[in-house]
Amino acid sequence: EVCENATSRDVVINLKGAHALTPRTLRGSSTRVGAQSTRVLIRGDGATLITRDVSATVGADTPLLTIADGAVVLLAGIVLEGAVLVHSGHLDIRDAVLRRSAAAAGRRLQDGTHDGAQLQLLGGATTLSGCTIVGLAPGSGSAITMHGGTLAIDGSTFRSNRASTDGGAILLTGGELRLSGSLFEANAATLSGGAIAMRGGSATLLASRFVSN
């Protein structure tokens, strides 16, 4: 279901059940209603988003959503089983569950930095609040890999995520990470940083717990 808010010029997509979507790019220049730029809101009461035909490409997984050219996207109350790549713009994820689908397990992204992360951040601004990131074990990389931009995480849980390199939950090579009120439990990495590995960038951690990483 898609509806337009005539006052705010938002595009709202209400989901129910499970939805297999063809990978797509959301661009600021293309998300317009009339003469005004819009924001895209995708929300659902536990609805699941997964990449359509993930098995079509052997050993590779195209991001379900790519955020580019200043697009403003809000994902709320959904279960996300596809990877997201942020080039620029703003991605806000609230009260969501991020997990790897069985079909995509062990696959690597075709775009971005090819490190297999569920969230790949190359730029822009990304926020996670009230989210659960669980059981992600991609072919390499971390649940979240950050190479640029800003990432603010609040009140979220990272549990049982694993990387074959560094940073089971988060690998930071650039940009700015701000973390508060979150829990990191039972995450692991083969090399270093069971919860978080830093190779660059900056990080501020406040009132968060790290257990058995």
Side-chain angles (χ1 to χ4, degrees), residues 6-51:
T7 301
S8 65
R9 317 304 290 180
D10 290 351
V11 172
V12 180
I13 303 173
N14 294 309
L15 301 178
K16 294 182 179 179
H19 297 263
L21 300 181
T22 302
R24 63 195 61 193
T25 297
L26 301 178
R27 301 183 184 277
S29 59
S30 64
T31 53
R32 300 180 65 86
V33 175
Q36 300 183 33
S37 295
T38 70
R39 297 179 300 173
V40 177
L41 165 60
I42 302 175
R43 66 187 182 190
D45 185 11
T48 301
L49 278 179
I50 188 170
T51 307

Side-chain angles (χ1 to χ4, degrees), residues 2-158:
V2 180
C3 60
E4 174 189 341
N5 185 314
T7 301
S8 65
R9 317 304 290 180
D10 290 351
V11 172
V12 180
I13 303 173
N14 294 309
L15 301 178
K16 294 182 179 179
H19 297 263
L21 300 181
T22 302
R24 63 195 61 193
T25 297
L26 301 178
R27 301 183 184 277
S29 59
S30 64
T31 53
R32 300 180 65 86
V33 175
Q36 300 183 33
S37 295
T38 70
R39 297 179 300 173
V40 177
L41 165 60
I42 302 175
R43 66 187 182 190
D45 185 11
T48 301
L49 278 179
I50 188 170
T51 307
R52 184 187 302 276
D53 298 330
V54 68
S55 61
T57 305
V58 176
D61 184 12
T62 300
L64 173 62
L65 294 175
T66 299
I67 315 300
D69 297 335
V72 178
V73 180
L74 169 61
L75 306 178
I78 66 172
V79 177
L80 183 64
E81 291 192 350
V84 178
L85 173 65
V86 180
H87 281 286
S88 64
H90 188 102
L91 173 63
D92 188 358
I93 306 178
R94 304 178 189 174
D95 303 319
V97 175
L98 281 67
R99 65 190 185 196
R100 198 74 160 161
S101 68
R107 295 181 178 273
R108 297 164 64 86
L109 292 183
Q110 291 180 309
D111 205 349
T113 54
H114 304 273
D115 56 16
Q118 187 81 351
L119 288 181
Q120 286 196 31
L121 311 179
L122 306 182
T126 300
T127 62
L128 277 74
S129 57
C131 292
T132 300
I133 301 89
V134 60
L136 296 179
S140 62
S142 312
I144 299 176
T145 298
M146 184 176 183
H147 301 290
T150 63
L151 170 61
I153 302 173
D154 179 64
S156 295
T157 297
F158 291 76

